[in-house]
Amino acid sequence: MARRLISPCQGSGLLNAGFLGVFSSHHYHRLPLSSSHRSSQLKNCYLPNLRKEVSHWTRPATPSLSLYSARLASKRTTCSIATEPPPSTTEEPEMDLPKEIFLKEYKKPDYLFDSVNLEFQLGEDKTIVTSKIAVSPGTEGTSSPLTLHGRDLKLLSIKVNGKDLKVSEDYMVDSRHLTVSRPPGGTFNLEIVTEIYPQLNTSLEGLYKSTGNFCTQCEAEGFRKITYFQDRPDVMATYTCRIEADKTLYPVLLSNGNLIEQGDLEGGKHYALWEDPFKKPSYLFALVAGQLDCREDSFTTCSGRKVTLRIWTPGQDLAKTAHAMYSLKAAMKWDEEVFGLEYDLDLFNIVVVPDFNMGAMENKSLNIFQSRLVLASPETATDGDYAAILGVVGHEYFHNWTGNRVTCRDWFQLTLKEGLTVFRDQEFSSDLGCRTVKRIADVSKLRTYQFPQDAGPMAHPIRPHSWTIFIPGAEVVRMYKTMFGASGFRKGMDLYFQRHDGQAVTCEDFYAAIQEVPPTPGQPVKEPMFIPIAVGLVDSTGKDMPLTSIYSDGMLQSLTSDGQPVFTTVLQFNKKEEEFIFNNIPEKPVPSLLRGYSAPVRLDSDLTESDLFFLLANDSDEFNRLLSVSCFKSSSLLLEIFNLRILAFLRWEAGQVLSRKLMLSLVADFQQQKTLALNPKFVDGLRSILRNTSLDKEFIAKAITLPGQGEIMDMMPVADPDAVHAVRTFIKKELALQLKDDLLSTVTNNRSSEAYTFNHDSMARRALKNTCLAYLASLNEPDTTELAFIEYKSATNMTEQFAALAALSQNPGQVRDDTLLDFYNKWQHDYLVVSKWFALQATSDIPGNVANVQKLLGHPAFDMRNPNKVYSLIGGFCGSPVNFHAKDGSGYKFLGEVVLQLDKINPQVASRMVSAFSRWRRYDESRQALAKAQLEMIVSANGLSENVYEIASKSLAA
């Protein structure tokens, strides 16, 4: 008997948005709250054959503004972060209106830089930078002026071929550019000397000082704060860097490449000379100088070369770098085995910095990391921290080829390096851990951070302000792997590196290399809009049906493999609507859709609630089984799936679908003041999962976790944070009450006296135990509170201690207050643990929490200049919908005031915070008015930075 599947295919914003999709900092890790992670002006990304659309970014003649500025004000004032002594006048410069730059207007640079020799004289009051550049014409015979970028620089001298240039006559300089009016024909040497003030640079871009050490961050446009330069990614050159500094204050001098020479100088100074033989753009330049100790190890490459590995950190933290070193060596081995990519230098350095805007930066051979993504010990770091370190260390190392050796031509192509590298680090973490759980975690990030942004004014095909922004791009790369097969994809990658090593390229270049792979059997032509949908059919007993053949588009195709039937097949969608007829199907099946991944699509299905409960109980694809418990509209199932090749993902999603449907229904009841009641089938479904000993324990933990409040609000016509919070709290407590015995036994059975180990089985055990403990503590009953307190006191590792603290902190009262104080007193000496303490309190849903967060701003351990503390406390507060969106507007007022304070210190971090306002129109009229008032207050402030003004003005204009 034949069974027919007819499906209209609708690509999500991901496919239609362009190659590698969309944005949100993995690197999640690159933190999820900003629009200016890489370049606040980036607007769009482009891939032929996926979307033909004009792409543009906003670049003003001077500072960057949104187009909304033309409607809001004709003139504004801007603020420059203090990186040099203040000028004699107090008059603030006027901002020009923005100039729109389109991708189609891209123009190759008029001049190329062949080699760059840098000299740094690091001082306590100022730093002198000398750059010597070998310049050649980009086009033979060019006579164009040479325009260089520069910000907050004091120009001391400029020479061409050894001759001093005269201002006005030979060159012009303004607040953003230095232009050499008439460069000589052919090749020539350019020498520029500048004076900068790293000790005053609180923006943490360019060269700055952090806890007494010098450090750089140059992506996307930080190098122009060091010296005048063509600060664009398609200008690639070889670099040498000579660093001079006081030997006592700065005994360690690091830069890119290999150490060529070092020695002592007069006056207690010393120097180091570094050389990077591989061409790179300026955004990959790095320098570190300070008092640091290192953990040293080595790695022998597949060709037999020995590479020295060093992780640099303040001496007191050295013991916490062991896991990061393990992660680095594992990443190097994995990249050789899976992609055939070998490290290319003799030395690889990682430096730990407490003050860093991003999670980490892939500078060639000198990676710089925010402390929390390197430092770990069982006593101070959670399982999540350990997993993040593994993934991020791998990610930054993988950039050596996908990003460094082959880089992006312009910032429109940013996702080319980031999406591709995220795909690689996801595969790496999956191979070293549990693929099922990793895929679920990645999709959860998309729903938590990406989906809300895509529905707001900051929606773009790509928006580089945090790591999860690049996960959709990774999913499209994964789709290419599905389309071309593992072998074909690897051949395409090999061709990509062979063809473009040492180049700055585009998304088109990557696609061209992949599509030149020989076609797979049965598909002679690779269709650019091909969307692969993996499908299985489940019979009434819950078993997969064998699939023998399928009829589509006038052709009958055999589905057997080596003469044996298959149980999952990939349907090829090339049109708006496709029809597939399965032959030899003896009974009506329940389709299991999007198995093992398929594509980043949004799929509407007519699966009933009974079908979903059936899949939850029976689907061999675990993700699909869980899919049965989160988002119905009428009887229609909304599946938002992004490249999920592992079976358990769809099973998980089935559970999430039912959960979302249930929560939305109860929200409607709550708004109508009806009595809330929990569907017994839902409780029984979670009970059966909790008792299923054959399932992975971490999978169970994720399966019994309810969708977040933000996810549910995104599905409502008008978001109601109070109703959603009330309903989620009700369901959590009701589940805890009805499943109490099962939850108690699960906690008991998953205790362990063994020493902490970072492996999947141990992590899964702790995850399940901690999830059950949180449910029990939500009851706020004496026995469950005592249980959580015992777990807190007896814990021998941070994972279990912090989980118990979080469980206790759900309920306001003396126990909560006393335990939080005890935790701080124990860990006040460790700034990373204190950041966790800040975050736990900031994200709390206890009533009126804004007052507590305001009080914590004055805590002696909080520092507004430290991005990690800001993300933990202020960013954490924005993650509590019921408090940030408080009816009285107190949350909005708090954030508005903090953004203006923070903007004067670090505009990039401030812009991440202000983005929490971006979806203010999703709420009721009263909340809209309160949020709008704060946005108007922000954009009207004198001295506002370009970063914050762009986000705030776009949010208002939405």
Side-chain angles (χ1 to χ4, degrees), residues 524-586:
V525 178
K526 297 294 181 184
E527 297 290 343
M529 280 303 296
F530 170 78
I531 299 178
I533 304 294
V535 173
L537 302 179
V538 183
D539 67 18
S540 58
T541 67
K543 295 181 179 180
D544 281 353
M545 293 182 174
L547 308 176
T548 58
S549 61
I550 188 172
Y551 182 83
S552 176
D553 203 20
M555 296 179 59
L556 181 66
Q557 180 183 358
S558 174
L559 299 179
T560 59
S561 176
D562 296 327
Q564 300 297 317
V566 299
F567 297 92
T568 298
T569 188
V570 177
L571 307 182
Q572 302 176 13
F573 284 80
N574 298 290
K575 305 172 186 176
K576 184 176 180 180
E577 182 174 297
E578 297 275 6
E579 180 180 81
F580 301 91
I581 300 175
F582 291 85
N583 295 310
N584 303 316
I585 304 299

Side-chain angles (χ1 to χ4, degrees), residues 229-248:
F229 202 81
Q230 287 189 118
D231 193 12
R232 45 188 287 178
D234 57 350
V235 175
M236 302 179 70
T238 58
Y239 282 67
T240 63
C241 179
R242 189 179 193 274
I243 310 168
E244 294 183 14
D246 184 282
K247 188 173 183 177
T248 301

Side-chain angles (χ1 to χ4, degrees), residues 327-526:
S327 302
L328 175 59
K329 296 177 72 173
M332 297 177 80
K333 185 174 187 292
W334 183 88
D335 216 16
E336 289 185 346
E337 293 176 348
V338 177
F339 283 97
L341 299 174
E342 182 178 347
Y343 186 63
D344 48 11
L345 290 169
D346 302 328
L347 176 65
F348 190 91
N349 284 311
I350 289 176
V351 177
V352 177
V353 179
D355 301 317
F356 201 61
N357 283 342
M358 268 69 76
M361 181 62 206
E362 70 268 18
N363 314 299
K364 180 72 176 186
S365 78
L366 181 55
N367 287 185
I368 299 178
F369 277 68
Q370 209 281 337
S371 303
R372 67 184 179 84
L373 292 172
V374 171
L375 304 180
S377 69
E379 297 78 21
T380 62
T382 65
D383 289 340
D385 296 326
Y386 272 83
I389 290 169
L390 177 72
V392 179
V393 168
H395 178 95
E396 304 304 334
Y397 173 77
F398 299 146
H399 265 310
N400 186 60
W401 280 94
T402 49
N404 296 2
R405 287 284 289 264
V406 184
T407 195
C408 52
R409 185 195 70 179
D410 54 70
W411 294 119
F412 292 107
Q413 321 297 331
L414 177 63
T415 194
L416 173 60
K417 76 181 183 75
E418 290 297 344
L420 185 53
T421 305
V422 168
F423 165 75
R424 279 154 44 75
D425 85 53
Q426 287 177 346
E427 288 294 286
F428 167 64
S429 294
S430 296
D431 285 345
L432 270 65
C434 176
R435 183 167 293 273
T436 296
V437 172
K438 173 61 178 168
R439 295 305 299 144
I440 290 173
D442 291 339
V443 170
S444 295
K445 288 176 189 173
L446 281 170
R447 288 179 173 157
T448 301
Y449 302 119
Q450 185 57 49
F451 287 2
Q453 187 186 45
D454 290 348
M458 307 315 296
H460 289 90
I462 176 169
R463 185 88 189 164
H465 51 269
S466 77
W467 228 74
T468 47
I469 184 171
F470 302 119
I471 292 178
E475 302 303 339
V476 177
V477 173
R478 195 180 304 274
M479 186 180 72
Y480 282 171
K481 185 176 180 181
T482 301
M483 292 166 59
F484 294 94
S487 176
F489 181 76
R490 168 64 190 273
K491 290 177 182 178
M493 289 286 291
D494 291 345
L495 178 60
Y496 173 65
F497 295 125
Q498 176 187 340
R499 182 179 289 174
H500 298 296
D501 188 14
Q503 297 179 11
V505 300
T506 66
C507 298
E508 292 93 330
D509 295 320
F510 177 79
Y511 183 76
I514 297 296
Q515 74 171 353
E516 288 188 25
V517 175
T520 53
Q523 189 191 349
V525 178
K526 297 294 181 184

Side-chain angles (χ1 to χ4, degrees), residues 707-724:
Q709 297 177 55
E711 190 175 342
I712 301 304
M713 289 194 299
D714 284 340
M715 301 175 65
M716 302 174 65
V718 177
D720 186 341
D722 294 329
V724 172

Side-chain angles (χ1 to χ4, degrees), residues 43-110:
K43 303 298 179 202
N44 218 329
C45 168
Y46 174 81
L47 175 68
N49 304 320
L50 289 186
R51 188 183 189 184
K52 304 288 187 181
E53 179 177 300
V54 175
S55 303
H56 65 281
W57 60 319
T58 305
R59 158 105 38 203
T62 51
S64 170
L65 287 180
S66 163
L67 281 179
Y68 183 66
S69 61
R71 299 191 295 273
L72 190 68
S74 60
K75 292 185 178 180
R76 295 192 38 78
T77 56
T78 184
C79 168
S80 293
I81 294 301
T83 55
E84 60 180 301
S88 57
T89 176
T90 59
E91 182 179 351
E92 293 177 326
E94 292 183 352
M95 296 180 71
D96 293 339
L97 293 179
K99 175 185 176 183
E100 291 291 316
I101 297 178
F102 292 83
L103 176 59
K104 65 182 180 181
E105 296 172 351
Y106 168 81
K107 182 176 178 290
K108 292 182 179 180
D110 291 322

Side-chain angles (χ1 to χ4, degrees), residues 711-755:
E711 190 175 342
I712 301 304
M713 289 194 299
D714 284 340
M715 301 175 65
M716 302 174 65
V718 177
D720 186 341
D722 294 329
V724 172
H725 171 65
V727 164
R728 194 175 191 275
T729 301
F730 164 76
I731 296 176
K732 188 174 183 180
K733 289 186 176 182
E734 193 67 19
L735 287 172
L737 188 63
Q738 297 192 40
L739 300 176
K740 186 175 181 178
D741 290 342
D742 292 286
L743 294 169
L744 284 169
S745 63
T746 303
V747 170
T748 301
N749 295 336
N750 285 280
R751 290 192 179 111
S752 175
S753 59
E754 296 180 1

Side-chain angles (χ1 to χ4, degrees), residues 624-648:
N624 235 347
R625 283 182 67 177
L626 262 171
L627 193 160
S628 302
V629 178
S630 168
C631 159
F632 263 85
K633 289 190 178 179
S634 302
S635 61
S636 162
L637 167 64
L638 181 63
L639 294 179
E640 299 143 331
I641 309 295
F642 295 94
N643 193 2
L644 312 169
R645 32 179 309 225
I646 38 89
L647 293 177

Side-chain angles (χ1 to χ4, degrees), residues 61-369:
T62 51
S64 170
L65 287 180
S66 163
L67 281 179
Y68 183 66
S69 61
R71 299 191 295 273
L72 190 68
S74 60
K75 292 185 178 180
R76 295 192 38 78
T77 56
T78 184
C79 168
S80 293
I81 294 301
T83 55
E84 60 180 301
S88 57
T89 176
T90 59
E91 182 179 351
E92 293 177 326
E94 292 183 352
M95 296 180 71
D96 293 339
L97 293 179
K99 175 185 176 183
E100 291 291 316
I101 297 178
F102 292 83
L103 176 59
K104 65 182 180 181
E105 296 172 351
Y106 168 81
K107 182 176 178 290
K108 292 182 179 180
D110 291 322
Y111 294 91
L112 303 178
F113 291 174
D114 301 315
S115 64
V116 178
N117 299 316
L118 298 171
E119 297 178 8
F120 288 81
Q121 299 176 43
L122 304 177
E124 293 307 287
D125 299 323
K126 62 185 178 182
T127 291
I128 305 299
V129 182
T130 302
S131 67
K132 299 176 182 179
I133 307 170
V135 185
S136 62
T139 303
E140 187 174 352
T142 184
S143 59
S144 301
L146 171 58
T147 300
L148 307 175
H149 303 103
R151 289 192 63 182
D152 304 323
L153 304 173
K154 182 178 180 180
L155 179 64
L156 299 183
S157 68
I158 176 171
K159 297 179 181 180
V160 170
N161 291 335
K163 178 184 177 182
D164 285 310
L165 300 188
K166 298 179 180 179
V167 67
S168 298
E169 182 178 335
D170 298 317
Y171 72 93
M172 299 291 292
V173 63
D174 59 32
S175 62
R176 297 301 177 103
H177 302 94
L178 185 156
T179 302
V180 180
S181 306
R182 296 179 298 277
T187 60
F188 61 93
N189 294 318
L190 176 67
E191 180 178 329
I192 299 174
V193 183
T194 56
E195 185 176 290
I196 57 177
Y197 308 91
Q199 72 278 9
L200 300 178
N201 184 359
T202 62
S203 71
L204 310 187
E205 296 177 276
L207 179 65
Y208 64 94
K209 291 192 76 173
S210 169
T211 59
N213 297 329
F214 286 94
C215 180
T216 58
Q217 171 55 34
C218 294
E219 188 179 359
E221 298 177 343
F223 194 78
R224 65 189 62 188
K225 300 184 76 171
I226 295 174
T227 186
Y228 289 102
F229 202 81
Q230 287 189 118
D231 193 12
R232 45 188 287 178
D234 57 350
V235 175
M236 302 179 70
T238 58
Y239 282 67
T240 63
C241 179
R242 189 179 193 274
I243 310 168
E244 294 183 14
D246 184 282
K247 188 173 183 177
T248 301
L249 296 175
Y250 312 102
V252 176
L253 306 176
L254 304 173
S255 191
N256 309 91
N258 295 318
L259 180 62
I260 303 301
E261 185 181 311
Q262 60 183 336
D264 293 333
L265 300 170
E266 294 181 355
K269 295 185 176 183
H270 70 141
Y271 77 95
L273 178 63
W274 293 83
E275 179 185 54
D276 184 356
F278 295 98
K279 287 186 174 183
K280 66 172 179 283
S282 56
Y283 80 84
L284 290 173
F285 171 78
L287 178 153
V288 172
Q291 299 190 30
L292 301 165
D293 291 335
C294 77
R295 175 184 293 273
E296 183 170 318
D297 207 326
S298 64
F299 179 82
T300 302
T301 69
C302 56
S303 66
R305 285 191 308 106
K306 184 177 180 180
V307 179
T308 300
L309 310 176
R310 294 186 181 127
I311 299 179
W312 298 88
T313 188
Q316 68 269 21
D317 293 325
L318 202 59
K320 298 179 183 178
T321 60
H323 178 63
M325 183 63 80
Y326 157 78
S327 302
L328 175 59
K329 296 177 72 173
M332 297 177 80
K333 185 174 187 292
W334 183 88
D335 216 16
E336 289 185 346
E337 293 176 348
V338 177
F339 283 97
L341 299 174
E342 182 178 347
Y343 186 63
D344 48 11
L345 290 169
D346 302 328
L347 176 65
F348 190 91
N349 284 311
I350 289 176
V351 177
V352 177
V353 179
D355 301 317
F356 201 61
N357 283 342
M358 268 69 76
M361 181 62 206
E362 70 268 18
N363 314 299
K364 180 72 176 186
S365 78
L366 181 55
N367 287 185
I368 299 178
F369 277 68

